[in-house]
Amino acid sequence: MSAQKVVMVTGGTGLVGKGIEAYIQQQGDARKDEQWVYLRSADGDLRSLEQTQAIFRKYKPTHVIHLAARVGGLFSNMKYKVEFFRENIAINDNILACCHEFKVVKCVSCLSTCIFPDKTTYPIDETMVHNGPPHFSNEGYAYAKRMIDVLSRAYNAQHGCKFTTVIPTNIYGPHDNYHLADSHVIPGLIHKTYNAMKDNTDLVIYGTGKPLRQFVYSLDLAKLFVWVLDKYEELDPIILSVDEADEVSIADVAHTIAEAMNFQGKIVFDTSKADGQFKKTASNKKLRSLYPDLTFTPMKEAVKVSAQWFIDNYATARK
Ligand code: NAP
Ligand code: GFB
């Protein structure tokens, strides 16, 4: 009798982890022979090798989806480059070392489209991760993330480990981090719109609103993560993103959020605040070639669900 499949999701209580949990629950009996474990930092601080080893001894995972990270938007990344580098280097080194030590069959780790070179041609594809320095605003996080790709391939070359990586674009959805200073743009603007409606004030968008982004809904991404765990056999990274044609401006996103929340007030742009990277247009050609019937939730619908989740869970949401 083969050992039971135990899938451990690090960072299991975050935006992406909660999306995966919801998707696996929907799968019901199809996955009745698998045990899924969703870690939170209370289970152990993954910056500590000893605490990480204790977690692996306790759960004995056969597969790992590695999401845990210090995560934040543009402004948090600009402010805390040292912590974004050090915490993520420590977490990533410990997870891959334990996946090797405890003979994990497969580990899928998470990079980000913001780690690609700032000076590049478009669309960006998976072969370009190390072709030049990332945008200065998030170089701490970006270099720590790039090292997951390097170390995963080193473990394979030296020990035959099946460690691979995915590269999601900007993600949003229920259970996001809505902290006004540290969050990503969509949860940040949802929280700001909530406050503007409550206090009858303007909705202030940072920057010019001109930068372009591709956004993927966490519940769509969850399905892709599980597909990578089940079916993706390559060691090279794979971009998990909506199409290039789905790229929108920050101003477009602000209006979509205002419409979803029925905000009737004034939208203003504070151009004294940074714009960050102008664009990081990524190609999902490789994903579409391997996953032909790929579909995504329409952004207006997904933003409405995300905003409603925040309103319904205001008391307990991360903010
Ligand atoms: P998130 O909502 O902030 O969740 C982060 C998770 O990591 C939480 O469960 C947190 O646990 C855990 N964690 C953080 N530090 C930890 C530590 N020292 N020890 C143990 N656990 C720790 O992040 P997310 O948006 O879901 O991101 C998941 C992955 O996607 C990350 O690797 C991130 O880099 C990547 N990604 C995110 C985006 C995006 O737009 N959000 C885009 C591209 C890639 P607690 O909550 O219990 O503290
Ligand atoms: O999601 P975000 O913070 O990060 O988006 P990035 C920043 C863009 O949204 C900038 C504008 O153009 C901001 O000027 N923006 C407007 C706002 N209003 C707001 C607001 O209230 N909050 C925020 N946060 N932005 C991140 C990387 O870059 O991408 C991370 O720094 C991560 O490391 C993430 O990988 C996926 O898309 O610019």
Side-chain angles (χ1 to χ4, degrees):
M1 166 111 152
S2 62
Q4 188 194 28
K5 184 173 176 181
V6 178
V7 184
M8 185 165 82
V9 181
T10 75
T13 53
L15 164 68
V16 180
K18 280 290 188 184
I20 291 173
E21 185 177 16
Y23 176 70
I24 293 301
Q25 273 168 359
Q26 280 166 10
Q27 295 258 292
D29 282 354
R31 292 186 178 267
K32 66 183 186 319
D33 298 334
E34 300 171 355
Q35 181 194 350
W36 284 69
V37 177
Y38 301 91
L39 295 184
R40 60 184 64 236
S41 49
D43 291 307
D45 185 343
L46 299 174
R47 292 171 297 184
S48 150
L49 178 59
E50 292 69 32
Q51 292 190 44
T52 308
Q53 288 170 322
I55 288 170
F56 274 73
R57 270 194 293 276
K58 176 178 178 182
Y59 292 110
K60 300 182 180 53
T62 57
H63 296 70
V64 172
I65 294 180
H66 172 36
L67 305 175
R70 175 147 180 166
V71 180
L74 166 66
F75 301 102
S76 184
N77 268 274
M78 287 169 69
K79 197 169 170 189
Y80 300 108
K81 288 183 182 180
V82 170
E83 290 78 5
F84 273 95
F85 182 88
R86 295 195 65 215
E87 290 189 33
N88 288 318
I89 285 282
I91 292 170
N92 299 334
D93 187 40
N94 291 337
I95 289 297
L96 293 184
C98 286
C99 283
H100 170 231
E101 182 185 346
F102 292 85
K103 298 180 175 38
V104 163
V105 172
K106 181 171 179 179
C107 176
V108 178
S109 298
C110 199
L111 311 182
S112 167
T113 53
C114 74
I115 75 172
F116 282 112
D118 181 40
K119 302 275 181 291
T120 179
T121 54
Y122 297 100
I124 297 168
D125 69 36
E126 290 86 353
T127 65
M128 299 155 83
V129 173
H130 303 284
N131 291 1
H135 192 264
F136 75 91
S137 60
N138 75 145
E139 55 192 342
Y141 173 87
Y143 278 115
K145 282 291 184 180
R146 290 189 185 186
M147 292 308 110
I148 301 179
D149 170 47
V150 170
L151 192 54
S152 292
R153 288 187 282 105
Y155 270 109
N156 176 264
Q158 198 169 326
H159 300 295
C161 299
K162 207 166 162 190
F163 296 170
T164 193
T165 55
V166 297
I167 311 181
T169 188
N170 291 49
I171 311 163
Y172 68 99
H175 303 278
D176 208 335
N177 174 359
Y178 293 83
H179 188 278
L180 287 173
D182 294 343
S183 67
H184 290 98
V185 59
I186 286 183
L189 290 187
I190 287 172
H191 191 169
K192 281 182 175 176
T193 304
Y194 180 92
N195 289 346
M197 293 176 77
K198 179 165 56 70
D199 307 332
N200 197 23
T201 55
D202 295 347
L203 170 58
V204 180
I205 315 300
Y206 291 159
T208 64
K210 292 193 170 71
L212 302 170
R213 295 290 184 271
Q214 290 156 288
F215 292 100
V216 64
Y217 184 43
S218 59
L219 294 173
D220 294 336
L221 181 66
K223 190 173 170 186
L224 299 180
F225 254 105
V226 175
W227 169 79
V228 168
L229 184 76
D230 291 344
K231 300 272 193 321
Y232 182 67
E233 294 303 316
E234 295 179 33
L235 298 175
D236 288 334
I238 183 166
I239 289 172
L240 303 181
S241 173
V242 296
D243 297 335
E244 294 154 58
D246 293 324
E247 191 174 53
V248 292
S249 73
I250 297 299
D252 294 337
V253 171
H255 285 102
T256 301
I257 291 168
E259 187 187 330
M261 298 177 76
N262 194 26
F263 174 69
Q264 307 286 334
K266 203 168 152 216
I267 296 178
V268 296
F269 291 85
D270 176 356
T271 53
S272 72
K273 297 288 192 308
D275 267 343
Q277 241 173 317
F278 178 69
K279 59 185 266 179
K280 39 186 171 177
T281 316
S283 162
N284 67 3
K285 193 168 159 220
K286 179 174 178 180
L287 174 61
R288 280 204 175 279
S289 71
L290 296 171
Y291 195 121
D293 53 347
L294 179 64
T295 58
F296 293 99
T297 307
M299 188 164 187
K300 280 186 189 301
E301 178 187 331
V303 164
K304 201 159 178 62
V305 172
S306 305
Q308 194 58 51
W309 185 89
F310 178 70
I311 293 163
D312 295 346
N313 296 275
Y314 183 79
T316 54
R318 284 182 287 169
K319 55 186 184 295

